Amino acid sequence: MLGRSLSELEAWAEQQGEKPFRGRQLHDWIYAKGARSLDAVTVLPKAWRQRLLNSPPAGSPDWIGRSQELHRSIARDGTTKLLLATADGLSLETVGIPAKGRLTACVSSQVGCSMACRFCATGKGGLQRSLAVHEIVDQVLAVREAMDERPSHVVFMGMGEPLLNRDAVLAAIRCLCADLGMAQRQITVSTVGVPRTLPTLAERALAELGRAQFTLAVSLHAPDQRLREELIPTAHAYPIEALLDDCRCYVAITGRRVSFEYILLGGLNDQPHHAEALARLIRGFQSHVNLIPYNPIEEEEFQRPAPAAVEAFRRILEARHGAVSVRASRGLDADAACGQLRRRLSPGITAHA
Ligand code: SAH
């Protein structure tokens, strides 16, 4: 049910021999009230609920399709990481990040990831599978439930590569806007770049959503192809110039600016000459650059950048390019910072492989 629109739920109720307004009630209870099971939707006739509960849809124990919360860890800054279990027993992570006047849900698009970026914990375990629409929307509801506040922003920066699960991601965005009342402008989709997918993303977004107003964030991370390939093995098949051309194409189709993400790894890509090269690379490209100081992960020896290096990098880029910001690390002590999501958590919780 989760992920379905009002008219789909109305049509479904009718198919079941009920009045369409039953679909509207279901919609209200799923999205506004956050009902976790059909049993809890007490506004529906008991006999009907009973009948439905006796014949759950294939592969799902319940009609609504909520994941189960397995674990919650809360960092000192309030960042809340949730470990969720899907109906088929996979675990995935989602993070709620509170800040002044906003609550951001950082959601996963896949369980695991096949991109294997060297600095990213998720990439170490490979890909289990892509998430379905209801499993993506569920994460936003789970953050709302855990933090008792409606997320104002959603970023697809959890586990996985959204462009390898494009249709579900777009359908989830549609649902978040139409059914949960979010604005597309409050949603960001982050990609490391998959060849030949950005122009189609733009076209599909226009077709599915009517307009493409969410922000596209592209994980650039290096000012040249050689260094980029060192950090991102899949970049081998996608020259940086081709990636930038595809970004330009995305901008031409959607009329939206893109933003670039640039992870700062101490001594590796955080020197002044890297900032100058980056400014040259994206010269004339109206874009925002988000610098992300590396958050340490267990498996790698990369260094966090020195604060002075971050500041120098920011200044050079600001002088030569313009819009630039540094992302504050949130939730570091709960292992919930960027790139730290993985299916390993507290004792007592076994990750399902
Ligand atoms: N696959 C998508 C979205 C998931 S990651 C992408 O690559 O964009 C979201 C962001 O976190 C990306 O920019 C990613 O490079 C960054 N990231 C990954 N590991 C990190 C780490 N250890 N420290 C800081 N940022 C990291």
Side-chain angles (χ1 to χ4, degrees), residues 79 96 102 112 130 168 240 271 317 353:
T79 299
R102 64 160 73 183
S130 283
I240 202 164
Q271 296 302 299
L317 210 55

Side-chain angles (χ1 to χ4, degrees), residues 5 25 38 48 65 89 99 101 122-123 146 172 200 223 226 247 251 263 277 309 321 350:
S5 66
Q25 287 177 324
L38 204 54
W48 185 34
T122 304
T200 14
R226 191 196 52 76
C247 290
V251 173
I263 190 170
H321 176 71
T350 17

Side-chain angles (χ1 to χ4, degrees), residues 65-245:
R66 294 295 307 268
S67 298
Q68 196 197 335
E69 184 181 321
L70 291 180
H71 186 80
R72 188 183 294 189
S73 46
I74 306 175
R76 277 187 292 278
D77 64 12
T79 299
T80 300
K81 181 166 78 162
L82 304 175
L83 181 71
L84 304 174
T86 61
D88 58 349
L90 291 177
S91 32
L92 65 110
E93 296 184 354
T94 215
V95 185
I97 309 160
K100 257 202 201 98
R102 64 160 73 183
L103 172 62
T104 302
C106 176
V107 301
S108 298
S109 55
Q110 300 183 305
V111 182
C113 187
S114 58
M115 302 307 279
C117 300
R118 282 187 50 210
F119 44 79
C120 175
T122 304
K124 303 295 171 197
L127 174 71
Q128 269 71 54
R129 70 166 168 84
S130 283
L131 291 171
V133 184
H134 68 276
E135 293 165 329
I136 299 175
V137 176
D138 169 78
Q139 297 173 60
V140 179
L141 294 179
V143 170
R144 183 175 78 182
E145 228 171 77
M147 306 187 76
D148 204 16
E149 185 184 332
R150 200 181 81 133
S152 57
H153 292 70
V154 169
V155 295
F156 284 82
M157 294 187 186
M159 304 169 106
E161 171 46 52
L163 281 189
L164 293 177
N165 191 18
R166 183 200 64 211
D167 291 348
V169 166
L170 288 179
I173 293 176
R174 188 214 58 72
C175 175
L176 294 176
C177 295
D179 304 308
L180 278 178
M182 295 195 66
Q184 259 197 64
R185 285 177 188 275
Q186 320 288 43
I187 298 175
T188 298
V189 174
S190 175
T191 178
V192 73
V194 179
R196 290 175 300 281
T197 56
L198 283 179
T200 14
L201 172 70
E203 280 156 13
R204 294 311 308 156
L206 290 180
E208 301 288 320
L209 307 171
R211 51 188 188 272
Q213 290 184 327
F214 59 83
T215 298
L216 178 73
V218 176
S219 295
L220 208 48
H221 299 338
D224 61 71
Q225 177 66 11
R226 191 196 52 76
L227 186 52
R228 192 162 193 269
E229 276 181 33
E230 246 179 64
L231 305 173
I232 306 168
T234 55
H236 184 65
Y238 201 8
I240 202 164
E241 283 302 341
L243 170 61
L244 290 175
D245 282 347

